[in-house]
């Protein structure tokens, strides 16, 4: 069996192995990485041989690290160990993929959804519906772009309603308040001023990854999409994407017990910062932490960096995703919309949910 893992920004790691009586056997590591000294390769192979086939990603990585450290301490290697372009965790992911316990992008066909404008509470409810449906085997992995016609604020699952929102600003600007199922910060969303998408994937795609690792892994295509429209971007912190001109986007995630992962991102296109400041309680401490006194500086809009219409940017993102991965165009089914509307009625539009953290 063979498994491969391309380290984001790094090298390709491949492992070939067999399984005998429930344990790894005849494991061989290869790839375009750099490894010093040469005989460390045999140490890694030896560390894999004999491991139980159901060993976790972290357990495999720990076995490789321990074996390398022991060999170095014993002086059996010709010089200190250096893994360049990969690490023990990357080896572990390749092993898990060889065993079929972890999957890669190439193992899946993604359904692409662009259903057109929907109420923001319905869009948030669809996050839950589509993620649950993947866990239930009713739909495959999906990429869904959001469109809406109203002014809204979508707050994170654990944010305090009173701390985040100014009631007078909400009333003045007729803002719909929605609480999503994932964590993260508040999103001020006027129609046409953000680019938002939801990605629903099986847990096997991020098998063994920490939240920090999975954010970079699931957003790698976004950096490529931004490059395609002339924006050089990079990861900033755990879940943000930025350019030299400032922050562009933030991501959030929710992992369900059934094995499905919801990952979504919102990018600023053309934010009305004055209006946003009247609606959101953005404290001085939060602003000073980012070295700025103005919300204009906190989130640099895509419009100013590309000069492109929002719809053209969404088209470019869709085209990039389809170029990189196997996809098929799809539509929301009537029963999915009905399920979402029921959730709006019983959860997302209720005061109990919206103010569940007062």
């Amino acid at each position: 069996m063979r498994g491969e893992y391309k380290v984001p920004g790094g090298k390709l790691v491949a492992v070939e192995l067999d399984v005998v009586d429930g344990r790894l056997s005849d494991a061989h590591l290869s790839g375009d990485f750099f490894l010093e000294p040469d005989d460390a390769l045999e140490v890694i192979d030896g560390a894999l041989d004999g491991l139980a086939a159901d060993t976790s990603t972290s357990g495999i990585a720990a076995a490789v690290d321990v074996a390398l450290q022991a060999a170095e301490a014993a002086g059996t290697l010709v010089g200190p160990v250096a893994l360049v372009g990969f690490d023990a965790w990357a080896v572990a992911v390749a092993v898990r993929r060889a065993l079929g316990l972890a999957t890669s992008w190439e193992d899946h066909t993604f359904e692409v959804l662009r259903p057109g404008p929907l109420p923001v509470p319905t869009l948030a409810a669809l996050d839950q519906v589509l993620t649950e449906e993947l866990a239930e085997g009713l739909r495959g992995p999906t990429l869904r772009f959001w469109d809406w016609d109203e002014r809204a604020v979508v707050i994170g699952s654990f944010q305090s309603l009173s701390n985040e929102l100014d009631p007078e600003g909400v009333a003045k600007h007729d803002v719909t308040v929605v609480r999503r199922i994932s964590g993260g910060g508040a999103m001020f969303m006027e129609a046409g001023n953000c680019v938002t998408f939801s990605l629903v994937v099986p847990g096997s795609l991020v098998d063994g990854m920490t939240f920090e690792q999975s954010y970079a892994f699931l957003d790698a295509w976004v950096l490529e999409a931004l490059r395609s429209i002339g924006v050089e971007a990079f990861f900033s912190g755990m879940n943000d994407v930025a350019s030299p001109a400032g922050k562009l986007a933030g991501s959030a995630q929710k992992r369900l017990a059934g094995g499905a992962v919801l990952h979504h991102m919102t990018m600023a296109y053309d934010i009305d910062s004055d209006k946003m400041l009247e609606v959101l309680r953005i404290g001085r401490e939060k602003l000073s932490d980012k070295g700025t006194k103005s919300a204009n500086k906190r989130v640099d809009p895509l419009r100013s960096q590309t000069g492109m219409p929002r719809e053209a940017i969404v088209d470019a993102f869709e085209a990039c995703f389809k170029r990189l991965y196997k996809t098929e165009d799809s539509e929301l089914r009537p029963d999915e919309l009905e399920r979402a509307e029921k959730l709006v009625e019983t959860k997302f539009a209720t005061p109990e949910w919206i103010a569940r953290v007062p």
Side-chain angles (χ1 to χ4, degrees), residues 154-164 178-186 211 215 238-239 252-256 264 347 352-358:
V154 181
I155 64 174
S157 180
F158 310 107
Q159 288 188 294
S160 164
L161 183 67
S162 58
N163 286 346
E164 294 299 321
V178 180
R179 185 184 293 274
R180 61 182 184 269
I181 63 173
S182 62
F211 273 96
Y215 275 107
M238 182 183 77
N239 62 328
Q253 240 182 67
K254 177 70 175 180
R255 301 189 183 192
L256 298 190
H264 52 181
K347 178 177 180 179
E352 291 78 15
W353 172 254
I354 295 171
R356 79 182 191 99
V357 183

Side-chain angles (χ1 to χ4, degrees), residues 36-81:
E36 295 291 345
D38 285 353
D39 47 355
L41 186 65
E42 297 177 8
V43 175
I44 296 175
D45 290 347
L48 299 177
D49 283 338
L51 288 178
D54 61 354
T55 303
S56 67
T57 306
S58 58
I60 297 170
V64 171
D65 279 332
V66 168
L68 289 172
Q69 292 166 8
E72 191 172 23
T76 57
L77 295 176
V78 185
V81 175

Side-chain angles (χ1 to χ4, degrees), residues 115-130:
L118 289 167
V120 176
T122 304
L123 292 169
L126 281 167
D127 273 347
Q128 180 171 331
V129 169
L130 296 177

Side-chain angles (χ1 to χ4, degrees), residues 277-291:
L277 282 170
E278 291 183 3
V279 173
L280 298 183
R281 296 186 189 275
I282 301 177
R284 292 180 181 178
E285 183 177 350
K286 188 170 183 179
L287 288 174
S288 64
D289 181 57
K290 297 182 181 295

